[in-house]
Amino acid sequence: HKRVVDEPAASPATSREQNGKRRKVLDTSKNANDVRLQLFRDEKILESIGRFLDPQSLLRCQRLTRTIRKFFTLDSLWLSLCVQRFGPIHVRQWKENFFDDNNEQEVDSLVLYRKMDAANVKPVIGSLPIIAETRMENKISAWVNIIERSNGETYRSVQQLNENGSTRFSSLPVAELRLFIQNTGCSNAIRIKEQSIFVDASTRRRGEEWQEITHDARFEKRVLDSQEVPISPSEKEKENNMMVTLPLYKTATIVVFVHCKGCSTTSKFQRRANFTKVYLQMNGITIPLVIPFFRDS
């Protein structure tokens, strides 16, 4: 049998001390709650918080109380996000179209953002037609353009290495592609790994990949920003074998030259190309982003 030992009763002085400590904790907790309430009632603070959030976080904030919710659906806030992601030209065009379709009623910017996001609108970078496109919802989007000559031909004079180390120039079919990649919803930056870009041209009977040209400096792969200015990787990016880092809404253009065997024109390239692939790092995980080409009808 266990012996039951009665604990000595606390002295009056000890009880008063413990009660005093409890009151201090309660007072501190109450003061902290009061401070939080004051913060959530301050319109300027809530608006400032909203400008630091990504779209998905803003939508989650709409599940809060009605008083707080209205600050995360402000038209000015979502209009700013529209301009950052899609560019002012596209936003103005879409607003004008909605204005005409809705009997001259101004469209809400949150609705406009959702419509443009569903259509995967590309930021205004160049005016070339899109020949390939993909998206990972609320994460990343990608588009591909091809640079066409006036005659539509693809043949270029390319420097090649001989077995003895000497160089020669050969006429090869070369497709100049521009891959536009945009972070469309990740609050954490997306990193594009250093890699060799290829285009899959496989058929049912045989596999085939068109590789990028790496033995001629004139056709060297390069990365541009939204203003067509070359981007050089930082020392840290070089150490981690990264090509470029994309914070929220940043767009990078990868210019790559592919040896498209058997395609003397860009139209033949579009008929045979299946997809290209880019490896990305999101939240520390490397994933392949497959970009399928449209079939040229």
Side-chain angles (χ1 to χ4, degrees), residues 39-87:
L39 287 174
F40 284 121
R41 287 170 183 166
D42 192 312
E43 297 183 7
K44 292 184 178 179
I45 291 176
L46 287 172
E47 290 180 27
S48 299
I49 291 172
R51 298 188 188 281
F52 283 97
L53 299 178
D54 59 83
Q56 291 305 303
S57 299
L58 285 173
L59 292 173
R60 291 191 196 102
C61 289
Q62 294 178 29
R63 301 172 188 170
L64 301 174
T65 63
R66 190 176 301 174
T67 306
I68 298 174
R69 188 189 312 160
K70 64 180 181 180
F71 297 104
F72 298 104
T73 56
L74 288 172
D75 194 76
S76 59
L77 182 62
W78 284 94
L79 180 60
S80 174
L81 293 179
C82 286
V83 172
Q84 288 180 60
R85 176 174 170 182
F86 307 110

Side-chain angles (χ1 to χ4, degrees), residues 9-284:
S11 64
T14 305
S15 298
R16 283 195 298 272
E17 185 179 348
Q18 290 176 348
N19 290 334
K21 287 181 179 179
R22 289 194 193 99
R23 280 196 295 272
K24 284 182 181 179
V25 171
L26 291 172
D27 291 342
T28 304
S29 177
K30 184 179 179 182
N31 291 336
N33 288 332
D34 291 341
V35 170
R36 292 192 193 99
L37 287 172
Q38 289 175 7
L39 287 174
F40 284 121
R41 287 170 183 166
D42 192 312
E43 297 183 7
K44 292 184 178 179
I45 291 176
L46 287 172
E47 290 180 27
S48 299
I49 291 172
R51 298 188 188 281
F52 283 97
L53 299 178
D54 59 83
Q56 291 305 303
S57 299
L58 285 173
L59 292 173
R60 291 191 196 102
C61 289
Q62 294 178 29
R63 301 172 188 170
L64 301 174
T65 63
R66 190 176 301 174
T67 306
I68 298 174
R69 188 189 312 160
K70 64 180 181 180
F71 297 104
F72 298 104
T73 56
L74 288 172
D75 194 76
S76 59
L77 182 62
W78 284 94
L79 180 60
S80 174
L81 293 179
C82 286
V83 172
Q84 288 180 60
R85 176 174 170 182
F86 307 110
I89 297 175
H90 275 155
V91 171
R92 184 169 62 250
Q93 291 173 346
W94 276 69
K95 283 179 75 73
E96 289 173 355
N97 291 339
F98 271 106
F99 191 76
D100 294 338
D101 295 341
N102 293 291
N103 299 320
E104 300 186 353
Q105 291 182 358
E106 189 72 17
V107 64
D108 181 78
S109 294
L110 173 55
V111 175
L112 180 66
Y113 185 95
R114 284 174 168 164
K115 293 284 186 182
M116 296 182 75
D117 173 65
N120 199 31
V121 175
K122 172 180 172 286
V124 181
I125 304 175
S127 57
L128 297 170
I130 298 170
I131 64 170
E133 179 182 2
T134 193
R135 68 179 300 201
M136 294 178 66
E137 192 172 356
N138 300 320
K139 289 181 176 65
I140 196 161
S141 291
W143 306 264
V144 179
N145 296 151
I146 187 168
I147 306 298
E148 292 191 74
R149 293 179 170 183
S150 57
N151 58 7
E153 292 186 356
T154 59
Y155 280 97
R156 304 273 190 100
S157 179
V158 181
Q159 185 179 17
Q160 293 183 296
L161 287 174
N162 295 320
E163 293 181 358
N164 59 6
S166 61
T167 59
R168 72 181 191 278
F169 286 89
S170 303
S171 183
L172 300 177
V174 178
E176 181 181 348
L177 302 179
R178 298 203 167 201
L179 284 65
F180 301 91
I181 302 175
Q182 184 185 36
N183 179 348
T184 58
C186 285
S187 54
N188 295 328
I190 294 173
R191 294 171 174 81
I192 302 177
K193 298 176 70 68
E194 184 61 53
Q195 60 198 281
S196 178
I197 306 294
F198 70 92
V199 173
D200 181 88
S202 301
T203 63
R204 291 181 180 179
R205 295 184 178 181
R206 64 189 179 94
E208 185 176 3
E209 288 183 355
W210 297 330
Q211 301 294 334
E212 70 169 276
I213 295 173
T214 57
H215 44 264
D216 192 327
R218 296 170 303 159
F219 300 105
E220 193 175 46
K221 177 175 59 197
R222 61 185 187 274
V223 182
L224 311 176
D225 64 13
S226 57
Q227 303 301 319
E228 301 284 317
V229 177
I231 300 174
S232 299
S234 64
E235 291 300 323
K236 188 175 182 180
E237 288 174 335
K238 289 179 181 178
E239 290 176 7
N240 295 320
N241 199 31
M242 295 297 168
M243 194 185 305
V244 67
T245 301
L246 300 178
L248 181 63
Y249 295 144
K250 184 176 179 181
T251 303
T253 305
I254 302 175
V255 182
V256 62
F257 298 85
V258 176
H259 179 198
C260 49
K261 300 174 183 178
C263 297
S264 57
T265 62
T266 53
S267 60
K268 286 183 180 179
F269 172 90
Q270 293 181 63
R271 283 198 295 270
R272 292 186 57 191
N274 297 321
F275 65 85
T276 186
K277 189 186 295 183
V278 179
Y279 288 93
L280 314 167
Q281 192 176 82
M282 298 171 56
N283 300 319

